[in-house]
C-alpha cells in the first residue's frame, strides 16, 4: 500500500486485519538460507537422497513436536505443515531430480518452485498455500546445511513482529504476551498470518508498503484498526495512543449493536466484504449487513469471464452468510488499480480516468447483464434479495440506464458516489435510483486530483479534506431531500471519529472492514446526534484536513 509523512514520522499503510494499538520494538524472523552456490553434482545420488529424506523427516518431526505443545487451530496449522512437508507429490519431484544428478538443495528448490508456480496459477486459497511450501523449503534447506531453523526469535520484551509474510509454522507458535503486534509486507486478509492473528487477538496489518526498510529494534506504533505502522513516533504520543485505544477497546468489546448515536438516532453499521469467507467472518461481528461487496475482488486472477452459474454461487455465499439482512452488491469495478483479465479493457495512458467501473458496460453490456442475471439467480436461490449498485457513476443518464437494467432483474438499484460530478448532481441521480453509497477513497482521489496509490500525495487524499466532506454533505443533503438512504462505504467510514462527522453530515449508514465495526459502532454510541452535527459544521468550515480533525475532536472529545 503506501506511506505518508507526518513531519518526521513515517506512517506506513496496509490492510487492517485485527484491531488494536501497540507500541513496541520490531523483531524480524531469523535469516533464511541464502542462495545455493554449490553447483557440483553429488558423488553418490543415493546417499544424497538419504540426506534429503533425513532432512525432511527432521523438519516434519520438529513441526509435530511443536504441534503437540500447542492446541486448537495453532496445533492444526503446525500438523498441516508437517503433513505438507511429507507430501508425496513434491517429495517425488525432488527425489526424481536427485536421481538425475541434482544436489538435494537444488532438487528441493526446483521441486518447490514447480509446485508454487502451479498453486500461484490456480489462484485463490491455493495461492495462499505458496507461503507454506516455501517455508518448508527453507526449513529443509537450513537442515541440509546444518543451519539453525529459520523462524521467529523469542523476544525478551513484548515486540512487534515485522516480516515479508509469515510462515504458518511461525505464526502458530507465537506467544501473544511477547509478540504483541504483527505486520507483513505481503499476505492478504485470508493468509495464515491473518487467521492466526485473529485467533490470538494480536493487532495485525498486512500488505504494508515500505515495511522492508524497518529494521529490527526500531520502535513502531502499530494500529490494526487504521491499518498503519508509524515508525519511530514520539514516545509520549505513542503511549497516549495505546492508552486511549485500550479504553476504546474495552468499550468496543461491550458494543453489540445495532448502530445508533447516544440519543438513539439509528445508523446502519455494515461490513465491507470481498467474498463468502469474509462475509462469514463479518457475521461474527455486530455488523447489521453488508454495505459493500466488492465483486471484482473474487475474480482478479481470472483471464476468462466466470460463468453465470459460478458467479451465482459466489454471490450466493455472501447472501447466505447474511440471510435476512441487508446486502449491497457492487457490480464489477474493473480497471485502474483492479484490472480484470476478461473485461476487455483497452491500454490507456491514464487508467484511473479511463474505462473503469460502469464505463466497461459501454462496449460490453453483456458483461453487466450476465452479472445481474447471476445476482438475481443467487437472490432466488437464497431468498435474500440484495441491493445492487454501480461503481464510478458520473451522470444521471448512466444512473438511469443502470437502474433500469437492475429493475429488469427485480433487484433494487443504487449507485456509488465516487466522482465529484455525481455528488454535485446527486438530486438528479436520485430521481432514478433508490440509494447512494459514497466511496470516499475514489471521491478523495478525484476531488483532490491526487492518485490514491501515491504515498507522496497521501495528505491530499486524506478523507478529512474539507472539500471531500463538502461533497459528502451535498450527496447526503440530496438523499435527505429525496427521503432515500445515503451510506458511506469508503475507508472514511472505518475511522471512528470521522464516522461521527459523516453521521452529522446526514449519512444514514456506515460500511467498513470487519476489524473496524466494533470501534465505529462503539464511538458513535457515545456521541449525540446534535454533537455529530456540530462537528460536521465545524469540519466544513475548516481549511485543511488536520484542522478538520482537531475541530471534530474539540466537539466530540
Ligand atoms: C471507494 O472508492 O471509496 C470504494 C469504496 O471503492 P474502492 O475502494 O473499491 O475503489
Ligand atoms: Mg472506488
Amino acid at each position: 500500500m503506501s506511506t505518508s509523512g507526518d513531519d518526521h514520522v513515517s506512517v506506513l499503510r496496509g490492510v487492517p486485519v485485527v484491531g488494536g494499538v501497540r507500541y513496541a520494538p520490531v523483531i524480524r524472523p531469523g535469516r533464511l538460507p541464502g542462495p545455493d552456490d554449490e553447483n557440483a553434482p553429488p558423488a553418490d545420488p543415493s546417499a544424497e537422497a538419504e540426506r534429503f529424506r533425513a532432512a525432511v523427516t527432521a523438519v516434519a518431526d520438529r513441526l509435530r513436536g511443536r504441534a503437540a505443545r500447542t492446541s486448537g487451530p495453532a496445533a492444526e496449522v503446525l500438523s498441516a505443515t508437517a503433513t505438507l512437508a511429507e507430501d508425496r507429490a513434491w517429495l517425488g519431484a525432488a527425489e526424481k531430480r536427485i536421481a538425475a544428478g541434482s544436489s538435494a538443495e537444488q532438487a528441493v528448490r526446483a521441486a518447490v518452485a514447480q509446485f508454487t508456480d502451479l498453486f500461484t496459477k490456480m489462484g485463490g486459497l491455493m495461492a495462499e498455500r505458496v507461503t507454506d511450501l516455501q517455508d518448508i523449503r527453507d526449513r529443509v534447506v537450513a537442515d541440509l546445511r546444518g543451519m539453525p531453523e529459520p523462524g521467529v526469535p523469542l523476544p525478551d520484551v513484548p515486540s512487534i513482529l515485522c516480516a515479508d509474510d509469515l510462515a504458518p509454522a511461525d505464526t502458530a507458535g507465537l506467544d501473544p504476551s511477547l509478540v504483541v503486534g504483527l505486520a507483513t509486507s505481503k499476505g492478504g486478509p485470508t493468509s495464515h498470518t491473518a487467521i492466526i492473528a485473529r485467533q490470538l487477538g494480536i493487532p495485525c496489518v498486512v500488505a504494508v508498503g515500505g515495511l522492508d526498510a524497518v529494521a529490527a529494534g526500531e520502535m513502531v506504533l502499530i494500529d490494526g484498526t487504521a491499518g498503519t505502522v508509524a515508525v519511530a513516533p514520539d514516545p509520549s504520543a505513542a503511549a497516549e495512543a495505546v492508552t486511549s485505544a485500550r479504553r476504546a477497546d474495552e468499550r468496543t468489546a461491550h458494543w453489540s449493536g445495532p448502530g445508533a448515536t447516544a440519543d438513539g438516532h439509528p445508523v446502519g453499521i455494515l461490513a465491507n466484504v470481498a467474498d463468502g469467507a469474509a462475509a462469514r467472518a463479518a457475521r461474527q461481528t455486530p455488523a447489521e449487513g453488508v454495505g459493500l461487496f466488492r465483486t471484482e475482488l473474487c475474480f482478479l486472477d481470472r483471464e476468462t469471464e466466470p460463468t453465470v452459474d459460478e458467479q451465482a454461487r459466489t454471490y450466493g455465499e455472501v447472501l447466505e452468510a447474511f440471510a435476512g439482512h441487508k446486502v449491497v452488491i457492487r457490480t464489477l469495478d474493473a480497471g485502474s488499480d483492479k484490472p480484470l483479465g476478461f473485461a476487455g479493457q483497452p491500454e490507456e495512458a491514464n487508467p484511473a480516468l479511463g474505462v473503469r467501473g460502469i464505463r466497461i458496460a459501454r462496449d460490453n453490456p453483456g458483461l453487466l447483464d450476465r452479472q445481474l442475471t447471476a445476482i438475481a439467480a443467487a437472490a432466488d436461490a437464497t431468498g435474500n434479495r440484495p441491493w445492487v449498485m454501480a461503481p464510478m457513476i458520473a451522470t444521471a443518464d448512466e444512473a438511469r440506464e443502470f437502474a433500469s437494467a437492475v429493475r429488469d432483474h427485480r433487484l433494487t438499484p443504487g449507485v456509488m458516489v465516487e466522482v465529484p460530478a455525481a455528488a454535485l448532481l446527486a438530486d438528479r441521480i436520485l430521481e432514478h435510483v433508490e440509494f447512494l453509497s459514497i466511496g470516499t477513497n475514489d471521491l478523495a482521489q478525484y476531488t483532490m486530483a491526487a492518485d490514491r496509490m501515491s504515498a507522496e500525495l497521501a495528505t491530499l487524499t486524506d478523507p478529512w479534506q474539507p472539500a471531500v466532506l463538502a461533497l459528502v454533505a451535498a450527496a447526503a443533503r440530496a438523499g435527505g431531500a429525496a427521503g432515500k438512504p445515503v451510506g458511506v462505504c469508503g475507508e472514511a467510514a472505518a475511522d471512528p471519529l470521522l464516522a461521527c462527522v459523516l453521521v452529522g453530515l446526514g449519512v444514514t449508514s456506515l460500511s467498513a472492514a470487519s476489524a473496524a465495526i466494533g470501534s465505529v459502532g462503539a464511538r458513535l454510541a457515545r456521541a449525540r446526534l446534535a454533537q455529530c452535527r456540530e462537528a460536521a459544521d465545524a469540519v466544513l468550515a475548516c481549511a485543511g484536513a488536520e484542522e478538520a480533525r482537531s475541530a471534530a475532536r474539540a466537539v466530540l472529545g
Side-chain angles (χ1 to χ4, degrees):
M1 295 226 136
S2 57
T3 323
S4 64
D6 157 73
D7 287 345
H8 312 292
V9 183
S10 97
V11 180
L12 311 178
R13 295 187 185 280
V15 177
V17 173
V18 180
V21 177
R22 301 287 184 274
Y23 176 56
V26 166
I27 51 167
R28 286 194 163 273
R31 291 184 66 77
L32 299 176
D36 179 15
D37 322 311
E38 290 270 333
N39 286 319
D44 178 358
S46 71
E48 191 69 354
E50 279 291 311
R51 216 164 69 77
F52 165 66
R53 271 193 295 272
V56 169
T57 306
V59 166
D61 284 352
R62 276 198 292 268
L63 289 166
R64 276 199 202 92
R66 285 174 60 196
R69 290 192 294 277
T70 69
S71 61
E76 280 165 30
V77 167
L78 287 161
S79 303
T81 310
T83 305
L84 183 61
E86 291 183 321
D87 181 84
R88 279 161 179 271
W90 93 266
L91 292 189
E95 277 167 349
K96 225 189 232 164
R97 286 182 161 83
I98 296 172
S102 279
S103 71
E105 182 169 335
Q106 284 168 336
V108 168
R109 291 186 187 282
V112 167
Q114 174 187 333
F115 282 91
T116 54
D117 279 357
L118 184 70
F119 287 179
T120 306
K121 282 199 189 101
M122 289 163 88
L125 288 177
M126 290 313 283
E128 289 187 357
R129 301 291 86 87
V130 164
T131 310
D132 307 19
L133 209 49
Q134 286 168 340
D135 171 49
I136 290 166
R137 174 198 64 200
D138 294 334
R139 285 170 197 275
V140 172
V141 168
D143 193 275
L144 284 167
R145 292 193 193 174
M147 283 170 57
E149 217 172 349
V152 178
L154 203 61
D156 303 328
V157 292
S159 300
I160 291 169
L161 177 58
C162 294
D164 241 21
D165 198 1
L166 287 167
D170 290 336
T171 38
L174 291 183
D175 175 349
S177 62
L178 283 175
V179 175
V180 296
L182 273 176
T184 61
S185 51
K186 297 202 181 113
T190 61
S191 61
H192 270 299
T193 305
I195 293 165
I196 300 290
R198 263 187 219 109
Q199 184 213 333
L200 296 174
I202 302 177
C204 175
V205 186
V206 298
V208 181
L211 192 68
D212 299 348
V214 183
E218 188 101 64
M219 292 300 289
V220 296
L221 179 74
I222 184 169
D223 185 334
T225 306
T228 56
V229 177
V231 185
D234 171 58
S236 59
E240 196 184 306
V242 172
T243 312
S244 77
R246 275 240 159 83
R247 271 192 233 116
D249 281 354
E250 281 155 21
R251 285 190 292 266
T252 299
H254 292 112
W255 187 78
S256 55
T261 57
D263 49 345
H265 172 71
V267 178
I269 304 283
L270 309 164
N272 288 354
V273 304
D275 55 19
R280 286 186 289 275
R283 194 72 185 95
Q284 306 305 312
T285 73
E288 293 150 54
V290 169
L292 169 63
F293 172 15
R294 291 178 162 103
T295 55
E296 67 281 358
L297 297 187
C298 302
F299 309 118
L300 284 180
D301 54 348
R302 300 290 290 269
E303 285 308 315
T304 52
E305 184 183 335
T307 63
V308 168
D309 281 353
E310 184 187 349
Q311 289 189 57
R313 277 194 302 278
T314 304
Y315 308 147
E317 279 193 44
V318 173
L319 293 174
E320 219 160 68
F322 276 89
H325 294 262
K326 173 175 169 176
V327 174
V328 183
I329 300 185
R330 178 173 76 183
T331 55
L332 296 169
D333 183 20
S336 190
D337 54 327
K338 292 177 287 194
L340 281 184
F342 56 85
Q345 285 153 295
E347 283 275 322
E348 295 173 302
N350 210 344
L353 299 180
V355 183
R356 62 165 293 199
I358 191 66
R359 299 169 185 184
I360 288 170
R362 292 172 178 217
D363 280 348
N364 196 349
L367 188 62
L368 175 63
D369 190 57
R370 287 185 291 279
Q371 184 174 28
L372 293 176
T373 304
I375 295 172
D380 291 341
T382 60
N384 188 358
R385 293 205 84 74
W387 293 8
V388 183
M389 64 183 180
M392 286 295 291
I393 290 288
T395 69
D397 279 348
E398 286 172 350
R400 180 176 45 76
E401 278 168 35
F402 177 76
S404 141
V406 171
R407 287 199 181 94
D408 285 348
H409 289 89
R410 295 192 306 112
L411 297 163
T412 304
V415 298
M416 289 199 69
V417 175
E418 298 169 288
V419 179
L424 292 167
L425 298 194
D427 55 346
R428 272 144 275 185
I429 287 176
L430 278 164
E431 287 171 15
H432 306 292
V433 297
E434 302 305 324
F435 68 97
L436 301 179
S437 181
I438 304 174
T440 45
N441 310 335
D442 276 315
L443 188 61
Q445 153 165 275
Y446 296 124
T447 304
M448 306 304 294
D451 186 341
R452 64 191 265 190
M453 306 297 285
S454 162
E456 288 79 14
L457 303 179
T459 51
L460 284 177
T461 45
D462 187 335
W464 281 92
Q465 284 289 352
V468 178
L469 295 173
L471 289 171
V472 171
R477 223 175 10 250
K484 294 183 177 175
V486 176
V488 169
C489 64
E491 295 309 301
D495 173 337
L497 190 67
L498 185 48
C500 297
V501 172
L502 295 171
V503 169
L505 291 171
V507 158
T508 57
S509 66
L510 300 160
S511 191
S514 291
I517 299 279
S519 47
V520 168
R523 183 68 190 80
L524 190 63
R526 289 196 294 128
R528 283 174 289 105
L529 180 59
Q531 265 183 308
C532 295
R533 288 188 174 143
E534 194 188 328
D537 287 344
V539 157
L540 289 179
C542 288
E546 273 316 312
E547 190 189 330
R549 269 192 188 86
S550 310
R553 262 190 228 115
V555 177
L556 291 159

